Amino acid sequence: GHERPVGFFRKIPKERGFQRVTDKLGPFVAHYNGKNGIAAHLDAKLKLHKIRTGDDVTVMVVNEGEIDLFMNFACSCRQHEIPLTNVVVFAASPEIVPLIESTGAVGMFHEGYASVSKSASHDYLDRVFVDMMWYKAFAVHLMTNRGINVLFQDVDLVWFRDPFPYFKMYRERAKLRSDMSGSYAEAFFSDDGQRSLRYSPFFANSGFYYMIGGPKSAYLAWSIMTAFDAVQVLGSHQNVFTYKMVEGLGLTHRHAVILSLEDFPNGIMYHHDKPYMKKLQAREVSPYGFHMCWTQGKPDKLKYLKIAKMWYLQEQCSALDDYIHDEKKRITGKVYSKVRTYYSDPIVVSRNGDVLRKQKYLWDNLSSYCCQVAY
């Protein structure tokens, strides 16, 4: 019965933030239509991979500096026998698209996405971190606007089980219809664990959520895109995500669900629930995955993933020790250089679908080289 502020913050966008919207949204709009535009390029890729309206798709965004985290996710899926054929990854540079597609995922790059640094972010809320938040906004809009159901997730995740059956079973339970809208659950948000005013009233994490495709979801993503000036001044996509989610739920009467931390754990469990982490390592609990958020920067993510036995990359494909032992915590891009040295055969898309068979061949070889067998 207590009232809570929603999306609490004191900073507002100013002229510099408005310019940042122009810098990002301008190229996106200018390149959207046309024979070689963003929309046509995406539609062609989805058609090639037989992804249609109503399908479930995992959406991720990555730049060169974070490619090792994506590879770690791919290796976790390989270890747990989960295919990546319905994973769409929006890349910040064309060089990493062949590597992404070698895993069986769909790699997307277009010059209209707006430029982003190839380096990993050094710290939480730094310039590179904020720039990648733009990708988190437009990628979800592009997919949901096509009626595709999107599970968006950050790259600092690993999977133990395919999460889509969970969402499907939940939605099929007729007794869980919303009293307000009469609809089944249409959106699922992970519990951030943080209980500060900034993320009230739902405390949802913007690095893992599932939404049914269509106009409602497309509008939510669009509203975040056009509020990038607020992302810029706050440094936090999650902060803007919170207040736009509240607005969107109010406008559309969407039936939303907050996921349990036991089934979808994240960094708060690592730092504040050691008994749970011991059960996880002993396989006494069976969550769908783990999101290593609640970290200051990438070096901490890699360190904690290794300690928690969720780092699945072999040494030759990972600069993990370089990150952990470098006192200045510099991000050097050594991971991509190592993998690129091994992987040099670009994927050529052919009309008869040979690309899909080639991807399987490449991933079988690359995963044998890069992925650990098991802990």
Side-chain angles (χ1 to χ4, degrees):
H2 295 284
E3 294 183 358
R4 286 180 176 269
V6 173
F8 179 77
F9 59 91
R10 292 187 174 91
K11 296 180 180 179
I12 60 172
K14 298 180 181 179
E15 187 64 32
R16 186 176 180 182
F18 304 155
Q19 182 59 45
R20 294 292 289 161
V21 176
T22 303
D23 294 343
K24 300 300 183 183
L25 191 58
F28 183 84
V29 173
H31 289 85
Y32 188 80
N33 292 313
K35 183 178 179 180
N36 299 313
I38 291 172
H41 180 245
L42 175 59
D43 289 338
K45 273 293 188 75
L46 296 178
K47 183 178 180 180
L48 175 66
H49 291 265
K50 299 180 180 179
I51 296 174
R52 305 179 180 89
T53 298
D55 286 348
D56 286 326
V57 168
T58 300
V59 172
M60 305 172 75
V61 301
V62 68
N63 70 347
E64 190 171 311
E66 307 281 3
I67 194 64
D68 53 336
L69 285 168
F70 169 74
M71 289 295 294
N72 188 58
F73 164 74
C75 287
S76 77
C77 291
R78 178 181 185 267
Q79 179 159 318
H80 298 100
E81 300 181 345
I82 305 171
L84 278 74
T85 51
N86 67 333
V87 176
V88 178
V89 184
F90 288 81
S93 58
E95 292 85 359
I96 58 176
V97 171
L99 180 58
I100 291 167
E101 296 204 325
S102 73
T103 67
V106 183
M108 299 296 307
F109 172 81
H110 194 282
E111 61 180 337
Y113 291 170
S115 60
V116 178
S117 172
K118 293 185 178 182
S119 301
S121 59
H122 290 256
D123 289 296
Y124 177 62
L125 304 186
D126 71 7
R127 177 65 177 270
V128 179
F129 181 94
V130 173
D131 277 351
M132 288 307 296
M133 300 304 102
W134 164 253
Y135 275 63
K136 293 177 68 168
F138 82 74
V140 175
H141 171 70
L142 285 177
M143 301 297 285
T144 53
N145 197 37
R146 284 159 173 76
I148 296 170
N149 307 328
V150 168
L151 170 60
F152 178 84
Q153 65 173 45
D154 290 338
V155 289
D156 56 344
L157 270 125
V158 295
W159 279 8
F160 309 126
R161 290 192 285 162
D162 182 350
F164 287 111
Y166 174 92
F167 304 129
K168 182 179 180 180
M169 287 188 294
Y170 196 109
R171 297 188 72 234
E172 287 178 347
R173 298 171 185 171
K175 64 181 180 180
L176 294 177
R177 284 178 182 267
S178 167
D179 291 335
M180 179 183 294
S181 65
S183 65
Y184 297 105
E186 298 173 298
F188 296 78
F189 301 100
S190 59
D191 186 346
D192 183 80
Q194 175 63 263
R195 294 296 183 263
S196 69
L197 293 178
R198 289 180 66 198
Y199 305 124
S200 62
F202 302 115
F203 309 105
N205 187 290
S206 64
F208 186 90
Y209 59 92
Y210 173 76
M211 295 197 300
I212 299 301
K216 294 179 182 180
S217 298
Y219 170 76
L220 174 60
W222 176 262
S223 69
I224 296 172
M225 284 174 56
T226 53
F228 191 71
D229 51 355
V231 176
Q232 180 68 27
V233 72
L234 297 168
S236 171
H237 173 273
Q238 187 163 316
N239 208 160
V240 177
F241 181 86
T242 295
Y243 78 77
K244 288 298 181 181
M245 183 175 72
V246 172
E247 177 186 69
L249 292 176
L251 288 173
T252 64
H253 285 183
R254 166 151 283 186
H255 180 188
V257 175
I258 303 298
L259 300 167
S260 74
L261 282 167
E262 287 72 23
D263 289 327
F264 297 91
N266 59 35
I268 190 175
M269 307 295 274
Y270 178 88
H271 294 289
H272 298 288
D273 196 338
K274 296 303 181 184
Y276 180 89
M277 295 304 298
K278 289 180 179 179
K279 290 180 181 179
L280 180 59
Q281 290 196 4
R283 299 183 181 180
E284 295 175 4
V285 291
S286 183
Y288 287 88
F290 195 95
H291 182 191
M292 192 56 80
C293 54
W294 279 63
T295 54
Q296 183 62 32
K298 183 176 179 181
D300 286 343
K301 290 184 186 295
L302 303 185
K303 179 180 178 180
Y304 300 153
L305 284 166
K306 184 176 182 181
I307 292 172
K309 299 188 183 300
M310 298 178 198
W311 190 250
Y312 298 95
L313 288 181
Q314 297 274 21
E315 183 179 354
Q316 61 265 27
C317 292
S318 168
L320 182 61
D321 290 338
D322 296 321
Y323 289 119
I324 292 176
H325 296 127
D326 185 347
E327 293 181 358
K328 295 183 179 180
K329 297 184 178 181
R330 293 171 293 187
I331 308 302
T332 61
K334 292 181 181 178
V335 174
Y336 179 57
S337 298
K338 288 183 179 183
V339 178
R340 182 169 53 186
T341 300
Y342 172 78
Y343 172 76
S344 59
D345 187 7
I347 293 175
V348 179
V349 177
S350 63
R351 294 182 180 178
N352 60 7
D354 286 343
V355 61
L356 301 180
R357 289 189 288 274
K358 188 173 185 181
Q359 285 175 347
K360 184 178 186 307
Y361 168 78
L362 289 171
W363 183 229
D364 286 345
N365 286 274
L366 184 60
S367 60
S368 297
Y369 178 78
C370 286
C371 299
Q372 296 189 41
V373 176
Y375 274 105

